[in-house]
């Protein structure tokens, strides 16, 4: 899967008529929410497969007040390539990894902080001759404030980065191509429940 299922709490697909909070997107929107972690006890789970392994660790920061979860996975086709006697194959690189992390802390009954991040990278290379890699990172710091039983707000600081690199080195010909998209946001959401039928 493109997404690490160990890190997911909820997934919602909007195929059309997206809510205004998604900025008037023309195509579909996939809204993905991460797990918060266990605020009562520590735990770990994972799995070992033929091409990839995964591990998740979660637990309380302060019992009943805050928690964290860290989930990662990595493929290891490149480990098996090193077993080849062919030097063109055993110097090849072929793997991806991703890491999801989230922490939350309840300051008091009306204020809560969340810190979350995602890091991922794909790498393909043939010795020193050719290499391509691309990856993403994103981080969010969110403050949730409850004004009353009917009104609450979320204030978020968001940073994201997408980049890819191509390296070519054949004899006297060498080159490097880099592309990057960086984005920084300050986002404020407020939600008011007028009554049971109107928000």
């Amino acid at each position: 899967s493109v997404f690490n299922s160990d890190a997911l709490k909820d997934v919602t697909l909007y195929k059309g008529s997206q809510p205004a909070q998604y900025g008037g997107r023309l195509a579909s929107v996939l809204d993905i929410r991460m797990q918060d972690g266990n605020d009562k006890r520590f735990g770990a789970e994972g799995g070992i497969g033929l091409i990839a392994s995964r591990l998740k660790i979660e637990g309380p920061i302060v019992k009943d007040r805050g928690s964290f979860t860290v989930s990662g996975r990595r493929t290891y086709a490149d480990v098996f390539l090193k077993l080849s006697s062919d030097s063109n194959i055993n110097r090849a690189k072929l793997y991806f990894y991703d890491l999801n992390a989230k922490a939350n802390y309840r300051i008091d009954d009306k204020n809560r902080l969340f810190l979350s991040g995602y890091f991922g990278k794909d790498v393909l290379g043939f010795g020193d001759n050719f290499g391509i890699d691309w990856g993403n990172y994103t981080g969010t710091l969110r403050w949730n404030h409850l004004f009353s039983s009917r009104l609450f707000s979320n204030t978020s600081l968001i940073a994201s980065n997408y980049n890819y690199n191509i390296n070519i080195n054949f004899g006297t010909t060498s080159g490097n191509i880099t592309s990057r998209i960086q984005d920084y946001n300050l986002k404020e959401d407020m939600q008011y429940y007028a009554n049971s039928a109107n928000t």
Side-chain angles (χ1 to χ4, degrees), residues 80-97:
F80 297 111
L81 294 177
K82 293 185 188 311
L83 301 175
S84 173
S85 59
D86 187 332
S87 63
N88 292 321
I89 295 175
N90 62 31
R91 293 175 60 220
K93 298 176 185 175
L94 178 62
Y95 66 89
F96 84 80
Y97 70 85

Side-chain angles (χ1 to χ4, degrees), residues 151-183:
L151 177 65
F152 74 90
S153 71
N154 278 308
T155 306
S156 303
L157 288 170
I158 307 162
S160 67
N161 179 80
Y162 166 77
N163 67 78
Y164 84 72
N165 301 292
I166 299 174
N167 296 300
I168 300 169
N169 186 13
F170 290 105
T172 58
T173 304
S174 64
N176 182 37
I177 300 169
T178 300
S179 178
R180 176 176 296 164
I181 301 171
Q182 291 180 315
D183 195 32

Side-chain angles (χ1 to χ4, degrees), residues 5 32 50 86 98 114 150 172 179 182-183 191:
S5 59
I32 300 168
L50 293 175
D86 187 332
D98 56 23
F114 297 85
R150 292 186 173 187
T172 58
S179 178
Q182 291 180 315
D183 195 32
Q191 194 155 7

